Structures are given as structure tokens and as C-alpha cells.
Amino acid sequence: FTLPLVYFLLPVLLAGQSTLTITGVVVEASNGNAMPFVAITLKKNLSGTVSNEGGRFEFTLPAALTDDTLQFTAFGFKRSLVPLKMADAPLAIRLQQTTLPLKESDVRLLPAESYVRLAVQGLKNNYPQQPFIALAYYREKLTENKNFRQLNEGLFKTYYPSTADSLQNQLILYRQAEEAQEFQFIKEEPEKVKAQEKKSGKKSQKGLKRDLAQAFSGPCSLLSVSKLNADLPSYLDTAKWNAYHYKFAKSSTYDQQEVLVIEFNSKNNDMRESGKLYIDRASSAIIRIESSGDYSVPKNLLPLILSHGFRLENPSYSQSLSFQKVGTFWYPQQSLKQVHLPLTRHHLFSKNEQVTLDLEQACIVNQLRLEDIKAIPPALRFSDEQEPLKAVHNDENLSWDQVNKLKK
């Protein structure tokens, strides 16, 4: 399998030529409902993006790149193709549910756990064993009682090693929404702050705007989940299978191919976890994972919550991870995570205060590089402990208008 030369020249083309932005919306043909997080890629050049929560998208590419085709793919739906030459106006993409006959009778010959075991045994055959680099757009959005508070965006260059070593991430671009607002649940009353300052004789740091997103697990954690053979989640770790139930769900399709769907549920009521594994029937590759359950609050976030008199009430998360096929291997495509934190502050003689914090994280692969791969120098590597604005190293010479972002 040989990639066309223009694929490797794409970063140069983006930096050196004018760009074209294609816009549109993706809906379900049967009812007109918007379809979020549909994969949108170029057929030849393998750069891409996804639709946003409302099904809308923007796709940026070099204006001179016209001999290619846009692909729209989603699980359980037929693929839709649009030649770039015909994409000169806002697109309205209507995806139809697949009618591909599924071979359900062939699936149930073995227990569900057996197909999961085959998928785990095939990790080395189905996922790239050679190093590669991905450019990925990252977004984190925080709301308080459904009111917008923070939005941070970044472009990461990630080096995926051939071994089980950790990924190496470099922050290329980063920005914060100018309209970000202060979280009300940690906002001190002005009179109280002034009284403390007067008593201590020092300027108080309380009441200042906080970047609460830094207290959660950051972009590196979200990027790392796509390297399955490095750190298997517990529901794929054969040594921990006794803690889970596995059963067949209704099969699906992806890009016209049959996909086996297996549900899993944890047996431990103290730490609930459930989800679905989407397994390609032809290769036994895990091509999508959906999971949800109880959320373990980071140690650096819990003191902030407790110090303001709040208690957590059943925090939860949901997450999905999808892969895309290039040649014979499956590469990361998108990772999405939502964290739900209900907080309560109890009062003896007045009504309790209820606050709900929601974090949404999205990581979308813009581009894959498979040749002439070099590790990221230690001095340029990013970690979640760093302050993002001070850790940018834009050696790609890219600007935000050249990045495929989730449409606002």
C-alpha cells in the first residue's frame, strides 16, 4: 500500500498556499436529525475532521487540491462520497442507515468473551507496529449548570513509538476563549475577600478567575487511550475478565463492512463500568470502544471542591474511541470524553446549593504521517502538568486557519 506523494506534502501545501474551507451539515436521512461526530475524511490524502454536536462541520484544505473526494462515515450508516469539484457550496449530507444483511447466525458459535480474546490477541496484527506521527486537534469545554465557563483549544503533534513506551506529545498551537467566565461555585464574595485582605495586610488570590480545566486529566491522558497495546483498559485485560460480564449486542456496520458488537458490564457495584466493543468481523480488530461509569476525581481537583464546602454526588463519565483504516492497519481517529460532576453544599437552616460541572474533551486526528518519522526532542515534549500557553513549540509553522477544528 503506497500513499500518494501529495499526502506527505500536505503540511507544506497548507503552509504555502491559500486554503479552501468546505462547510455543511450531516443529518440522518430518515428523520433529519443532526448527526454528531461523523468522520469526514479525504479519500486519497487521509486528512480529516468530524461534525460537531449539531452535525455541522468545516473542512480546511489547500485550494489547489481538487482531485479528491470527501468521505462521510458513521457506524450503522452507508458511506457518502462528495467529489471536491462538487463541494463549492454548503453541503447537506443525508446519511442512510445500512441495509447490509448481517450474519448474526455465524456470530454466536462461540461465547462473547472468545471474540474479545481474539481481538486482544490480534492487536499486533491490526494496529501499526512502526512509529508514526499524528497531528490532532484538541478541545476542552467546561460548563457550570449548563452555562459556558471555559473553552481551550490546542493542536498536538504526537509521536507513537513502535514499543509499549508512552506517547510523546508536542503542543503546536494553543488558545483560550476570550469570553471565558469565572466559576460561580468557587467565587468569593467581594466583602469577604476585602475583610481577609484587611486583616492579613496581604493581597488575596481568592476570587480570581481559575483555569479549572487544568485540575482535570488533560490532553495527554486523552491522547494516550488510543495506544491500546501499550496500556490495556481493564475490560480488555484478560487477567481481569472475571470482573466483567460480556454479551452479544445487535451487530452493526462501518463503511459497508459487518461489525460485531459486544457489551460489557462490571460486576463490581462499588465501581460501575459498562460499554460496547465494536469488532471488525474480517480482521477481529477493535475499531471503536464506548464506555461509561463512575468517575475517579483527580487528586488535585478534590481539595478545590471540598475547600468550598461542596460534596460530590455520584460523579460519572462517558467516553468513546474510534479508529480509521489505512492500508491493513487501524490508526487513531477520534477520542471523546464527557465528565459529569454533581456537587452539593449542605446548609442547616437554608436550602442546599446544587452545582453541576460538565467537562467535554475531544481529540480529532487531522493528519497522519507514516514516513520519515522522528521522535519529539525531550525539550519540546508536553505534559499535562505544564502551563499550555508557555509550552507551545510551533515548528510546523501552522496557524489556526489551517487547522480542522470542531465547528463552534
Side-chain angles (χ1 to χ4, degrees):
F1 182 82
T2 303
L3 295 176
L5 178 62
V6 70
Y7 168 65
F8 300 105
L9 294 178
L10 189 59
V12 179
L13 291 170
L14 281 171
Q17 297 186 13
S18 61
T19 59
L20 168 68
T21 299
I22 299 171
T23 63
V25 63
V26 186
V27 300
E28 189 173 343
S30 62
N31 53 29
N33 290 340
M35 294 187 62
F37 306 113
V38 171
I40 306 164
T41 59
L42 288 175
K43 191 172 183 180
K44 296 180 181 179
N45 296 292
L46 302 175
S47 64
T49 186
V50 299
S51 57
N52 69 3
E53 297 88 337
R56 298 192 174 276
F57 67 91
E58 291 181 345
F59 195 108
T60 301
L61 65 156
L65 189 62
T66 58
D67 185 23
D68 209 330
T69 301
L70 283 173
Q71 300 182 114
F72 299 82
T73 50
F75 281 83
F77 291 82
K78 293 181 180 179
R79 178 178 58 175
S80 180
L81 302 176
V82 178
L84 287 179
K85 294 178 181 179
M86 301 176 61
D88 56 352
L91 300 176
I93 306 299
R94 301 173 62 85
L95 294 186
Q96 296 182 343
Q97 288 188 342
T98 184
T99 56
L100 183 69
L102 301 176
K103 304 172 184 177
E104 295 276 0
S105 60
D106 296 339
V107 172
R108 315 289 168 113
L109 299 177
L110 298 172
E113 295 93 327
S114 298
Y115 293 94
V116 180
R117 186 180 297 275
L118 286 173
V120 173
Q121 291 173 345
L123 288 177
K124 290 185 177 180
N125 297 325
N126 290 316
Y127 303 94
Q129 299 303 303
Q130 298 299 318
F132 67 94
I133 281 179
L135 287 182
Y137 164 78
Y138 173 79
R139 186 190 77 176
E140 55 191 14
K141 179 182 177 182
L142 272 159
T143 60
E144 179 184 24
N145 293 334
K146 297 185 178 181
N147 295 311
F148 170 78
R149 292 293 180 256
Q150 288 183 10
L151 177 66
N152 304 319
E153 296 177 293
L155 179 68
F156 284 87
K157 178 166 63 176
T158 300
Y159 172 81
Y160 288 75
S162 58
T163 63
D165 294 340
S166 300
L167 306 183
Q168 299 171 9
N169 300 302
Q170 178 180 341
L171 185 55
I172 304 297
L173 295 170
Y174 186 80
R175 65 182 178 184
Q176 298 175 317
E178 295 180 357
E179 64 271 23
Q181 301 176 24
E182 187 171 3
F183 286 86
Q184 297 302 301
F185 89 101
I186 58 174
K187 184 178 181 181
E188 299 287 346
E189 297 178 2
E191 293 79 5
K192 185 177 180 180
V193 174
K194 290 179 181 178
Q196 291 174 339
E197 291 177 349
K198 185 177 181 180
K199 184 177 180 179
S200 64
K202 297 180 181 179
K203 188 71 174 177
S204 173
Q205 295 299 310
K206 295 182 178 180
L208 297 179
K209 176 181 166 183
R210 300 179 189 228
D211 187 1
L212 192 60
Q214 287 187 316
F216 288 89
S217 298
C220 293
S221 300
L222 193 64
L223 288 163
S224 66
V225 298
S226 61
K227 194 167 173 51
L228 288 180
N229 57 349
D231 187 15
L232 285 175
S234 56
Y235 47 80
L236 292 179
D237 187 343
T238 55
K240 302 177 182 178
W241 276 3
N242 289 336
Y244 291 87
H245 292 289
Y246 299 88
K247 66 178 182 179
F248 293 105
K250 183 178 179 181
S251 295
S252 184
T253 60
Y254 186 72
D255 200 12
Q256 302 298 99
Q257 299 298 314
E258 186 178 1
V259 176
L260 177 63
V261 184
I262 295 178
E263 295 180 347
F264 62 87
N265 292 274
S266 62
K267 299 177 182 178
N268 186 357
N269 293 326
D270 295 331
M271 195 64 182
R272 296 168 298 174
E273 187 176 31
S274 63
K276 293 181 179 180
L277 303 172
Y278 294 73
I279 301 175
D280 177 48
R281 285 298 309 277
S283 63
S284 293
I286 299 172
I287 62 177
R288 180 175 170 85
I289 299 174
E290 297 172 354
S291 63
S292 62
D294 297 329
Y295 179 67
S296 298
V297 180
K299 294 181 179 179
N300 57 343
L301 177 59
L302 195 57
L304 175 63
I305 294 172
L306 297 177
S307 66
H308 286 79
F310 284 90
R311 295 293 182 269
L312 282 165
E313 306 285 347
N314 299 319
S316 61
Y317 85 95
S318 62
Q319 186 165 337
S320 66
L321 172 64
S322 299
F323 295 85
Q324 57 185 316
K325 195 172 187 179
V326 180
T328 58
F329 295 114
W330 291 88
Y331 290 81
Q333 184 176 64
Q334 58 177 280
S335 181
L336 310 170
K337 185 175 183 178
Q338 294 180 314
V339 175
H340 182 66
L341 297 183
L343 310 177
T344 301
R345 182 154 57 187
H346 296 273
H347 298 286
L348 288 176
F349 304 107
S350 60
K351 185 178 179 180
N352 292 339
E353 297 177 59
Q354 304 288 337
V355 174
T356 300
L357 300 181
D358 287 289
L359 168 70
E360 298 176 3
Q361 294 175 303
C363 183
I364 313 299
V365 172
N366 270 214
Q367 183 190 117
L368 292 170
R369 298 178 184 173
L370 311 182
E371 291 189 356
D372 192 25
I373 304 305
K374 297 179 181 179
I376 295 174
L380 303 185
R381 295 176 191 174
F382 176 81
S383 68
D384 287 337
E385 290 71 33
Q386 291 179 280
E387 186 176 341
L389 287 173
K390 297 181 179 179
V392 173
H393 299 284
N394 189 2
D395 56 6
E396 297 285 330
N397 296 316
L398 290 172
S399 59
W400 275 111
D401 60 0
Q402 297 167 314
V403 176
N404 285 314
K405 305 171 289 294
L406 277 175
K407 183 175 174 60
K408 294 183 180 180

